[in-house]
Amino acid sequence: MKEVIHYIRQKIITRLNGNVSLGGNNVPVYNRVPSTQDEPYIIVYSNDESNIDDNQSSFITECVTRIEVVTSFLSDDGGELQANSIVNSILQLIRTSKTDYFDLSSNNFNVYTFNIEGISYIEDADEEKTYFRALIDISNRVQQI
């Protein structure tokens, strides 16, 4: 069995990078956010990869990838509407049809399901800012070919 989730993560980053904007400004997409980056930004990371079925001829893996949207406001200004708007753009880009799965055939994988497992919203605050985060969990089933 080969590791596949990093290929899915790469496909998501490629699809989102340069294609999500807020107020006319591009929202950057990262796998690891630089310490100098201000909000808003999007981070894509691997959450879980599980072997769900294997037999003599194939390996099937379920991968859960997380897309996290982070926005912020000074003190108690603003709200989660910016995070909602960015999530809306992301959903339109990553799922364009019922059969629009990530093409990993050049990596010897066949992605045959795509599910949005859930979207969670979190509000955090520190002394300076209030942060609004959206967590989108995407599940894919993948067969090694």
Side-chain angles (χ1 to χ4, degrees), residues 39-55:
E39 301 78 20
Y41 59 82
I42 300 165
I43 183 169
V44 181
Y45 52 95
S46 305
N47 196 29
D48 183 58
E49 182 172 345
S50 303
N51 185 24
I52 59 170
D53 184 28
D54 58 294
N55 56 45

Side-chain angles (χ1 to χ4, degrees), residues 15-85:
R15 197 171 286 186
L16 298 180
N17 196 24
N19 294 313
V20 179
S21 63
L22 182 67
N25 296 314
N26 184 50
V27 179
V29 181
Y30 297 103
N31 178 242
R32 184 177 181 279
V33 181
S35 61
T36 57
Q37 179 62 52
D38 289 327
E39 301 78 20
Y41 59 82
I42 300 165
I43 183 169
V44 181
Y45 52 95
S46 305
N47 196 29
D48 183 58
E49 182 172 345
S50 303
N51 185 24
I52 59 170
D53 184 28
D54 58 294
N55 56 45
Q56 293 178 351
S57 62
S58 68
F59 294 103
I60 298 177
T61 303
E62 183 164 25
C63 301
V64 178
T65 309
R66 180 165 285 166
I67 302 170
E68 183 172 344
V69 174
V70 181
T71 63
S72 72
F73 295 94
L74 294 177
S75 186
D76 57 357
D77 292 339
E80 70 178 28
L81 185 57
Q82 286 186 345
N84 297 132
S85 177

Side-chain angles (χ1 to χ4, degrees), residues 3-5 11 27 29-30 40 56 59 70 81 89 96-97 106-107 114 117 120 130 132 137:
E3 196 272 350
V4 66
I5 199 165
K11 290 287 187 180
V27 179
V29 181
Y30 297 103
Q56 293 178 351
F59 294 103
V70 181
L81 185 57
S89 295
T96 59
S97 74
S106 64
N107 305 107
F114 182 113
E117 296 297 319
S120 304
T130 301
F132 295 92
D137 285 337

Side-chain angles (χ1 to χ4, degrees), residues 75-123:
S75 186
D76 57 357
D77 292 339
E80 70 178 28
L81 185 57
Q82 286 186 345
N84 297 132
S85 177
I86 294 169
V87 166
N88 184 53
S89 295
I90 290 169
L91 294 178
Q92 291 178 50
L93 289 166
I94 61 169
R95 188 65 189 266
T96 59
S97 74
K98 291 183 178 182
T99 58
D100 184 25
Y101 305 134
F102 300 118
D103 182 4
L104 300 180
S105 57
S106 64
N107 305 107
N108 297 319
F109 292 104
N110 175 40
V111 179
Y112 67 92
T113 66
F114 182 113
N115 293 307
I116 295 174
E117 296 297 319
I119 303 171
S120 304
Y121 291 92
I122 301 169
E123 180 179 338

